[in-house]
Amino acid sequence: TLHVTGTLKNEAVHRKGRMPETLERPLSPEERLRKARSLVEQGSHEYQLAEEADAEHSIRRRAAVACESAFHGLIELVDVLIQRAGHRLLENHDQRVEALEDIGRPDLATVYQRAKDSLHVSGYYEQRMGRLQRDRLREVADVVDRELQKLA
């Protein structure tokens, strides 16, 4: 095989006193030119794959932040509604769902649970970016807009 050092290597099995890939002979100029082309093509291909992976990671990270931001917008709305109904500030998601049900807003409790699962857990923590997150994001945006209009 062509080795990075520019020599032809033998990939023989390791034997006592002999290392695998021992030098057989120096590469000819033609072999070195083929090797140069092959290494550049390999490097270019690997770099492209790295860029694509980085782009995908960047997209997923941005989508995760978007999901979490939308979910926190819902939390802010819900906390205000719960406080206006006379309840204390709550510490966790289950308490918010229970309080929404207690103040007669099972519709918001359902939206909250769905958004928590799809946006907060799957979208943010698992960095999933699919139809479910897109649909929940639209649902949360619609609900928040509607509730803000009621409060205006």
Side-chain angles (χ1 to χ4, degrees):
T1 53
L2 295 177
H3 190 265
V4 176
T5 60
T7 56
L8 191 60
K9 298 285 185 169
N10 176 8
E11 295 182 13
V13 181
H14 178 73
R15 289 175 246 178
K16 187 175 181 178
R18 185 168 177 210
M19 297 290 292
E21 294 189 354
T22 56
L23 175 64
E24 288 187 0
R25 67 173 171 81
L27 295 176
S28 70
E30 292 79 21
E31 289 171 324
R32 293 189 80 181
L33 292 175
R34 282 194 306 269
K35 179 180 179 182
R37 175 171 303 199
S38 175
L39 288 171
V40 168
E41 288 172 357
Q42 179 184 347
S44 296
H45 177 70
E46 292 296 326
Y47 192 84
Q48 181 181 356
L49 292 175
E51 282 183 322
E52 290 169 3
D54 187 50
E56 182 179 333
H57 177 71
S58 178
I59 289 168
R60 288 190 179 281
R61 188 174 53 244
R62 289 180 71 181
V65 169
C67 287
E68 189 70 351
S69 296
F71 180 63
H72 278 271
L74 180 61
I75 289 173
E76 293 297 329
L77 171 73
V78 164
D79 283 351
V80 167
L81 294 175
I82 291 169
Q83 282 184 304
R84 284 188 175 182
H87 290 259
R88 63 179 173 75
L89 191 58
L90 303 170
E91 299 176 8
N92 64 51
H93 302 303
D94 288 344
Q95 290 176 343
R96 285 185 182 94
V97 170
E98 290 170 353
L100 286 168
E101 290 172 348
D102 291 345
I103 66 171
R105 294 301 308 265
D107 58 323
L108 278 180
T110 299
V111 169
Y112 188 93
Q113 287 175 315
R114 289 164 49 105
K116 178 181 66 75
D117 290 343
S118 303
L119 299 178
H120 182 60
V121 176
S122 297
Y124 182 68
Y125 287 112
E126 296 173 6
Q127 294 193 353
R128 187 172 182 285
M129 187 178 84
R131 182 188 58 80
L132 186 62
Q133 286 69 36
R134 187 174 48 253
D135 290 351
R136 281 317 138 253
L137 194 58
R138 285 184 190 132
E139 180 182 27
V140 165
D142 290 345
V143 166
V144 169
D145 284 345
R146 187 174 56 246
E147 292 298 321
L148 289 175
Q149 287 176 7
K150 290 180 189 177
L151 295 171

